[in-house]
């Protein structure tokens, strides 16, 4: 490694994207599930993963150096606790997110990040000739990976951020852009008296009934298909927008909020779950998520002041921000 620490830092950053790819490959191959019962020689893993044994060895060795697997004997690997989070059906699984970060269509856009920086337009549209949501509508395999990845984040990050907010008085929460209902399922599990409406594009929300039923909360949830630029369901006393506003520029984010404002009763709350960018140079996941938005979508992450301005433009009033240091914070607004 370089002796100059500044050169060393750049060297590390130049290699960083390989780590994303390695984790994505391990997740795609389902290696962690194959190690669930204990360490196995790499030659035993090559068959079930459909890989070249030596190439797989090199991947697992590189990931062992990152604490994801451990080489317990020459060419025999076991799981570490972090590696166990790459298993599919375990509490805290992040496998679907890792698969999504390894997804070729997504990564092709990142190769063209420079295009987004030069033009301010999403590199995804430059590469694929269509916007992100239309692409997913036309590619159900990739859409399933995306929706499941959102499920990992909803359970492991957004539901945790929402614990900073007491929803015990809420009767019906409308989850606007609620995807496959993972966040609604987590909230319904936490609040036994809560009801929920999961609202998303019709072909997306079609996947929510199963998630809600599997979580044992289907009887307290409705699913509604529609377009949040047209209207959102009425009758909620809380409107949750988790990872929605960051997908859109200010004009379209305001249009969504204005539709929420039209649908909500006077006493209802708007609960936005999004990264809130802090001042200064401090590391914050939102600063990288912002680059994901720059690359894939016409969206951006925002500061608290920028959120307050969006709320004002939509006839709402920012009341408070909870969990401000988490990767995703919770901003509460009411009718102005
Ligand atoms: C980043 S995902 C967030 C999903 C979920 N709220 C969460 O936190 O995991 C954005 C969601 O917005 C939905 N969406 C995009 N355009 C939409 C539209 N015009 N109307 C309704 N939903 C839309 C997508 O289908 C997707 O489920």
């Amino acid at each position: 490694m370089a002796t100059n620490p500044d050169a060393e830092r750049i060297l590390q950053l130049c290699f960083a994207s390989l780590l994303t790819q390695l984790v994505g490959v391990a997740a795609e191959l389902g290696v962690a599930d194959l190690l669930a019962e204990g360490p196995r020689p790499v030659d035993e893993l090559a068959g079930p993963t459909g890989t070249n044994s030596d190439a797989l060895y090199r991947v697992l060795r590189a990931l062992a150096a990152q604490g994801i697997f451990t080489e317990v004997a020459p060419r025999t690997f076991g799981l570490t606790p972090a590696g166990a989070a790459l298993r599919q059906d375990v509490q805290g699984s992040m496998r679907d997110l890792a698969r999504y970060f390894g997804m070729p269509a997504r990564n092709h856009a990142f190769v063209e990040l420079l295009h987004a920086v030069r033009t301010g337009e999403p590199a995804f549209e430059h590469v694929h000739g269509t916007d992100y949501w239309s692409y997913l509508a036309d590619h159900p395999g990739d859409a399933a990976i995306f929706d499941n990845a959102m499920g990992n984040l909803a359970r492991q990050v957004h539901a945790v951020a929402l614990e900073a907010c007491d929803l015990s008085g809420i009767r019906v929460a409308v989850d606007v852009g609620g995807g496959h209902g993972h966040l609604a399922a987590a909230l319904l599990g936490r609040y036994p008296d809560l009801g929920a409406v999961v609202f998303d594009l019709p072909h997306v929300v079609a996947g929510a009934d199963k998630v809600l039923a599997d979580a044992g909360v289907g009887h307290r949830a409705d699913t509604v298909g529609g377009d949040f630029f047209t209207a959102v369901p009425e009758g909620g006393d809380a409107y949750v927008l988790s990872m929605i506003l960051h997908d859109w520029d200010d004009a379209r984010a305001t249009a969504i909020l204005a539709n929420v404002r039209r649908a909500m009763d006077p006493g209802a709350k708007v609960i936005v779950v999004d990264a809130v960018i802090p001042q200064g140079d401090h590391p914050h996941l939102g600063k990288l998520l912002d680059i994901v938005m720059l690359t894939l979508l016409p969206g951006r992450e925002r500061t608290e002041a920028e959120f307050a301005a969006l709320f004002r433009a939509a006839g709402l009033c920012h009341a408070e921000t909870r969990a401000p240091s988490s990767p995703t914070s919770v901003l509460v607004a009411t009718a102005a």
Side-chain angles (χ1 to χ4, degrees):
M1 286 291 170
T3 50
N4 170 347
D6 300 323
E8 169 77 24
R9 179 77 186 117
I10 299 300
L11 191 63
Q12 284 175 358
L13 289 175
C14 286
F15 277 90
S17 71
L18 289 180
L19 300 179
T20 311
Q21 296 309 315
L22 284 167
V23 173
V25 164
E28 189 62 37
L29 295 174
V31 176
D33 282 311
L34 293 171
L35 298 178
E37 303 300 321
R40 293 174 73 179
V42 74
D43 286 344
E44 269 185 30
L45 300 172
T49 54
T51 54
N52 173 287
S53 175
D54 187 54
L56 182 62
Y57 170 67
R58 292 154 70 187
V59 166
L60 298 186
R61 178 176 63 184
L63 283 169
Q66 299 297 324
I68 303 301
F69 300 106
T70 173
E71 190 169 4
V72 295
R75 300 180 83 87
T76 294
F77 290 88
L79 279 182
T80 64
L86 286 179
R87 290 183 57 197
Q88 181 65 47
D89 289 321
V90 291
Q91 179 78 17
S93 175
M94 295 296 260
R95 181 184 175 216
D96 293 316
L97 185 75
R99 286 185 74 199
Y100 172 57
F101 269 64
M103 196 169 95
R106 183 179 186 278
N107 285 315
H108 293 157
F110 284 99
V111 172
E112 296 296 337
L113 174 59
L114 193 56
H115 172 85
V117 176
R118 288 215 160 102
T119 63
E121 302 296 330
F124 190 92
E125 294 182 21
H126 174 65
V127 169
H128 293 288
T130 185
D131 71 86
Y132 188 71
W133 306 114
S134 303
Y135 174 91
L136 290 183
D138 292 341
H139 295 81
D142 283 356
I145 293 175
F146 170 76
D147 290 321
N148 290 335
M150 293 304 102
N152 283 177
L153 286 176
R155 280 190 298 268
Q156 304 310 323
V157 182
H158 314 323
V160 175
L162 272 167
E163 284 174 14
C165 214
D166 183 10
L167 304 186
S168 45
I170 304 292
R171 198 177 34 85
V172 177
V174 180
D175 192 358
V176 178
H180 279 192
H182 294 280
L183 186 61
L187 293 178
L188 291 167
R190 187 153 175 250
Y191 295 98
D193 297 327
L194 182 68
V197 177
V198 180
F199 175 75
D200 207 296
L201 295 166
H203 65 275
V204 176
V205 85
D209 286 321
K210 179 173 180 344
V211 170
L212 293 159
D214 287 352
V217 294
H219 57 293
R220 286 192 279 132
D222 285 332
T223 56
V224 178
D227 175 358
F228 50 43
F229 292 111
T230 305
V232 305
E234 296 181 351
D237 44 2
Y239 284 79
V240 178
L241 293 93
S242 168
M243 303 287 106
I244 299 304
L245 299 181
H246 79 159
D247 291 340
W248 303 100
D249 56 28
D250 285 357
R252 282 176 279 189
T254 303
I256 297 166
L257 284 173
N259 280 340
V260 170
R261 172 72 188 84
R262 269 187 279 281
M264 68 196 248
D265 294 335
K269 291 184 199 175
V270 180
I271 299 173
V272 169
V273 183
D274 248 326
V276 174
I277 301 288
Q279 295 295 324
D281 295 338
H282 312 290
H284 189 283
L285 204 63
K287 294 178 183 177
L288 292 178
L289 198 52
D290 185 50
I291 304 306
V292 176
M293 297 305 123
L294 175 67
T295 309
L296 302 182
L297 290 157
R300 62 189 309 122
E301 305 304 327
R302 294 180 170 91
T303 64
E304 192 177 35
E306 288 167 339
F307 276 111
L310 280 188
F311 289 139
R312 268 196 305 279
L316 296 163
C317 174
H318 177 217
E320 58 174 337
T321 303
R322 298 281 181 129
S325 59
S326 311
T328 55
S329 302
V330 180
L331 299 109
V332 181
T334 53

